[in-house]
């Protein structure tokens, strides 16, 4: 009997050696890229005051430490993110899976609750949850979201909608009508005006008091009031084609929301970093992280001057299982290897700058991010 078990064990172990250990299930995807547009970073001083009037939450979708490190090498050893005075690590797993998605991870950060994979601001039973944008609105703050993806996509959706399934994009788009967010910028126009129910949500947003724009030029002219801007169908183009649109829209949002004396909460997402991870595209990834980081620089410059704005830069999860294999700080050349075309389960970085930044040090669950933001914004405002 004992011999038989040993035989069975040995048999399965050898099977594992033959079919498991020596046969990688995913082909190794290694590429090398030299960044041809290095940029100067801004220098900001730490902010001295303690009062937090505004919070700007910047999410790099799928932007793990290796994505940041790759961009750092590509930009010859400097990034605007490095101006952050505090760093922390967040755990990303969701309620029913170790490897999360942007729906469940965004829900954790926006509402403070771990939920199931693919859920949008609902709990594990499907009940709607209150997000940071709702909380801020209820306290008299202005709110905004600026993204480079389609608006019904998971990360913007967790701040503006509730749904058990992120793929219900038409239903999620309809939730924008009741989300009370003052500045909304992104893409995915077809979900609003070419729908299976024939509703024209763009006209309905107008009736709700939004200035509805379908181009950046139109959006840029607005100097006050509520904005709903869907500048293209599908996603926005990747960074190299998009130019500095993300930075421009982010600063425009800050400009408008800052007219409110009580302050604002603004979420800015570098959405397409994640897509480059899924497609294992190192060159486009580096350009996306660089675009995100340049926007971080613009935001920090503004926050330094303002003195009452907490800036948090983080990721919802890592995408691609990227490894930094080689590189050259002088030439901006990076060699990276992707191990998956999906997400990975590693801790992701949290960087913070401004009053209240110190609260973001340490290792914590992604749900803590909502709690820390809430405390920072509302501590002194009862
Ligand atoms: Zn993804």
């Amino acid at each position: 009997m004992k011999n038989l078990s040993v035989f069975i064990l040995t048999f399965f172990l050898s099977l594992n050696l033959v079919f498991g250990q020596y046969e990688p299930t995913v082909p190794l995807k290694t590429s090398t890229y030299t960044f041809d547009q290095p940029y100067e970073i801004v220098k900001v001083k730490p902010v001295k005051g303690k009062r937090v009037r505004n919070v700007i939450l910047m999410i790099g979708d799928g932007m793990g430490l290796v994505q940041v490190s790759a961009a750092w090498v590509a930009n010859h050893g400097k990034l605007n993110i490095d101006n952050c005075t505090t760093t922390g690590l967040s755990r990303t797993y969701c309620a029913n899976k170790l490897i999360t998605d942007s729906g469940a991870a965004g829900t954790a950060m926006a509402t403070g609750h771990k939920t199931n994979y693919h859920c949008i601001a609902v709990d594990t039973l499907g009940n709607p949850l209150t997000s940071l944008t709702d909380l801020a609105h209820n306290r008299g703050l202005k709110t905004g979201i600026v993204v480079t993806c389609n608006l019904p996509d998971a990360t913007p959706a967790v701040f503006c909608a509730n749904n058990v399934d992120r793929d219900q994009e038409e239903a999620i788009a309809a939730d924008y009508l009741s989300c009370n967010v003052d500045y909304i910028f992104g893409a995915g126009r077809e979900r609003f005006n070419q729908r299976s129910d024939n509703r024209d949500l763009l006209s309905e947003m107008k009736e709700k008091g939004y200035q509805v724009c379908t181009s950046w030029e139109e959006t840029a002219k607005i100097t006050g009031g509520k904005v709903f801007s869907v500048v293209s169908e599908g996603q926005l183009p990747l960074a190299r084609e998009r130019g500095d649109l993300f930075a421009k829209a982010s600063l425009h949002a800050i400009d408008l929301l800052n007219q409110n004396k009580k302050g604002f909460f603004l979420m800015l997402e570098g959405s397409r970093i994640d897509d480059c991870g899924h497609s294992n595209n190192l060159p486009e990834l580096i350009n996306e992280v660089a675009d995100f980081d340049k926007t971080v620089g613009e935001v920090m410059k503004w926050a330094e001057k303002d003195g009452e704005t907490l800036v948090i830069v983080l990721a919802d999860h890592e995408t691609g299982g990227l490894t930094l294999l080689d590189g050259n700080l002088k030439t901006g050349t990076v060699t990276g290897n992707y191990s998956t075309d999906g997400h990975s389960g590693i801790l992701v970085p949290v960087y913070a700058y401004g009053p209240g930044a110190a609260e973001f040090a340490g290792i914590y669950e992604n749900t803590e991010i909502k709690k820390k933001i809430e405390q920072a914004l509302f501590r002194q405002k009862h």
Side-chain angles (χ1 to χ4, degrees), residues 170-171 174 177 189-204 207:
E170 288 200 349
L177 280 159
R189 192 163 60 226
E190 75 280 14
R191 297 286 183 228
F192 295 88
N193 65 358
Q194 296 163 43
R195 298 167 54 87
S196 56
D197 60 8
N198 291 324
R199 277 171 74 183
D200 179 2
L201 300 187
L202 297 186
S203 319
E204 292 185 39
E207 282 159 27

Side-chain angles (χ1 to χ4, degrees), residues 303-332:
E304 181 194 35
K305 238 188 283 161
D306 178 70
E308 294 184 337
T309 300
L310 167 62
V311 181
I312 306 143
V313 182
L314 50 68
D316 51 355
H317 55 73
E318 195 272 349
T319 307
L322 182 62
T323 313
L324 183 54
L325 293 180
D326 201 0
N328 186 320
L329 286 165
K330 283 206 181 93
T331 58

Side-chain angles (χ1 to χ4, degrees), residues 61 101-102 166 274-275 278 317 319 342-343:
D61 197 318
D101 80 308
S102 296
R166 63 181 282 178
D274 177 64
D275 297 313
H278 285 295
H317 55 73
T319 307
H343 301 164

